[in-house]
Amino acid sequence: MDINYETYKIFYHVAISGSISKASQKLLISQPAVTWHLKNLESNLGVALFIRTKRGVKLTDEGTIFFEYIKEGIKNFTNGENALTNLKNLDYGNIRIGASTTVSEHVLMPYLQLFHEKYPNIDIQIVNTLTEDLLKELRDGNLDMLLLNMPMSGGKDLKIEKIMNVQDIFIGNKKYYDMCNGKVNLEELNNYPLLFQKLPSNTRQYLDSYLKDNNVILYPKTEIVSYNLIMEFVKSGFGIGYATKEFIKEELENKSLYEIKVTPSIPKRFIGVVTLNNSIPNYSVKKLIDIMKKIS
């Protein structure tokens, strides 16, 4: 039976108002149009739904039974529309984000603070683990977006949007900075104890790619999973480390860490938002990404 929602909606408003003219005014359509829809509905159903009176209209027995079902349908449609409106207004919702601990602390948090100030009712879940595990969670539908160091090995199913450029550097404390006068050729770094992140971190992969491009092999004395722990080891004088300049601005300013310039220089890379190509992010996620792209 081909009856559209608009016809049911007209029937509902005529029933609750008991008047074709009142329903017409409510729905902003002409009275003849209302009458036509009602006659068409009664014809399709094969029953009379209203009794016309001098005061308006009232439901027949069949119309009363039919109304109870239509009333629930209209309510559900209205609730659905209201729910979507609330989501678009960010009155409620949730975002599931995957990122490394380092990126969460130094990149994600400032954006989340701005987002939370504007939309305090949105629930935020953050998952910190290895990039390969985050990609699996994204593809399995358990995360909405990732914020990752780039470049990375990915796939055609991924959409990557640049948020900010970052510059990797070699670092040491005052002792190691003075030992090499603040600059060194890349291959000469093997003359010093080196502290790098363990594979498969994106930062370590990028370092190894840079070394390979320059036909240099470095032999780290210490390999640590935690980026922040490496910074503490370098501060304490365990050797020369590898860091992202934008993440250690405070340490460089207060001179607990020093940049050691290398030749050839390290190319810049970027932080990117990763989502799935074949999915449409929910409105909360889109709004957060918009904030990131606007500020960056």
Side-chain angles (χ1 to χ4, degrees):
M1 190 177 297
D2 187 17
I3 303 174
N4 62 35
Y5 170 69
E6 189 65 23
T7 297
Y8 288 134
K9 186 176 177 182
I10 290 169
F11 164 78
Y12 170 80
H13 281 284
V14 171
I16 62 173
S17 65
S19 168
I20 290 176
S21 62
K22 288 180 181 178
S24 170
Q25 293 171 6
K26 172 73 175 178
L27 297 171
L28 301 177
I29 59 177
S30 69
Q31 291 188 40
V34 172
T35 300
W36 181 87
H37 276 281
L38 293 180
K39 287 183 176 179
N40 188 54
L41 180 59
E42 289 177 326
S43 176
N44 275 281
L45 295 175
V47 296
L49 298 173
F50 292 101
I51 299 172
R52 278 67 176 175
T53 70
K54 291 181 179 180
R55 294 186 177 181
V57 295
K58 66 177 184 178
L59 290 166
T60 63
D61 291 342
E62 293 85 355
T64 300
I65 294 172
F66 187 62
F67 174 75
E68 292 302 316
Y69 289 97
I70 296 302
K71 178 176 67 175
E72 291 303 310
I74 296 294
K75 182 176 72 175
N76 289 334
F77 276 115
T78 302
N79 287 341
E81 290 172 353
N82 290 340
L84 288 179
T85 299
N86 288 337
L87 284 172
K88 289 185 69 175
N89 292 335
L90 299 182
D91 293 330
Y92 63 84
N94 67 84
I95 304 177
R96 303 166 300 170
I97 308 169
S100 70
T101 303
T102 306
V103 171
S104 294
E105 178 182 352
H106 297 287
V107 181
L108 180 59
M109 278 305 299
Y111 293 123
L112 288 183
Q113 287 174 340
L114 290 172
F115 181 84
H116 183 67
E117 287 175 5
K118 290 185 174 182
Y119 312 110
N121 296 323
I122 303 300
D123 295 330
I124 299 170
Q125 175 188 352
I126 302 174
V127 176
N128 300 131
T129 186
L130 295 173
T131 296
E132 59 190 46
D133 295 329
L134 293 175
L135 286 170
K136 182 179 185 304
E137 290 295 296
L138 178 68
R139 288 181 170 120
D140 288 345
N142 298 321
L143 293 174
D144 298 308
M145 59 176 279
L146 310 180
L147 192 64
L148 300 175
N149 281 308
M150 299 293 164
M152 67 164 194
S153 56
K156 293 182 179 180
D157 62 328
L158 302 177
K159 179 181 179 181
I160 299 172
E161 300 178 84
K162 183 168 75 172
I163 296 301
M164 62 182 290
N165 289 317
V166 292
Q167 177 67 62
D168 288 349
I169 59 175
F170 286 94
I171 53 168
N173 67 359
K174 184 68 164 59
K175 179 180 74 172
Y176 282 98
Y177 178 82
D178 290 340
M179 286 173 63
C180 64
N181 295 314
K183 57 184 178 179
V184 65
N185 288 326
L186 185 56
E187 63 271 14
E188 293 174 350
L189 282 170
N190 276 320
N191 298 328
Y192 305 93
L194 301 173
L195 298 89
F196 297 157
Q197 273 189 285
K198 281 186 175 181
L199 288 170
S201 79
N202 275 6
T203 297
R204 176 60 184 275
Q205 289 183 46
Y206 189 70
L207 168 60
D208 287 351
S209 176
Y210 156 71
L211 296 175
K212 184 178 179 181
D213 288 345
N214 290 281
N215 299 311
V216 172
I217 299 176
L218 295 181
Y219 301 95
K221 182 178 180 180
T222 306
E223 294 181 292
I224 302 173
V225 172
S226 168
Y227 176 92
N228 289 336
L229 191 56
I230 288 177
M231 300 305 106
E232 294 305 315
F233 270 66
V234 174
K235 288 178 189 176
S236 299
F238 282 81
I240 292 176
Y242 184 79
T244 301
K245 191 171 186 177
E246 287 75 10
F247 298 171
I248 56 168
K249 286 182 179 179
E250 184 177 339
E251 289 84 350
L252 293 172
E253 288 174 359
N254 65 29
K255 299 189 181 305
S256 58
L257 291 173
Y258 291 77
E259 178 180 357
I260 297 174
K261 297 187 180 297
V262 296
T263 305
S265 60
I266 305 167
K268 283 190 175 183
R269 56 183 178 139
F270 68 94
I271 305 294
V273 169
V274 183
T275 54
L276 291 177
N277 263 328
N278 61 355
S279 67
I280 300 175
N282 69 46
Y283 203 75
S284 302
V285 174
K286 289 171 66 177
K287 207 66 180 178
L288 175 58
I289 294 174
D290 286 345
I291 288 175
M292 290 178 171
K293 291 166 67 177
K294 183 177 180 180
I295 296 175
S296 300

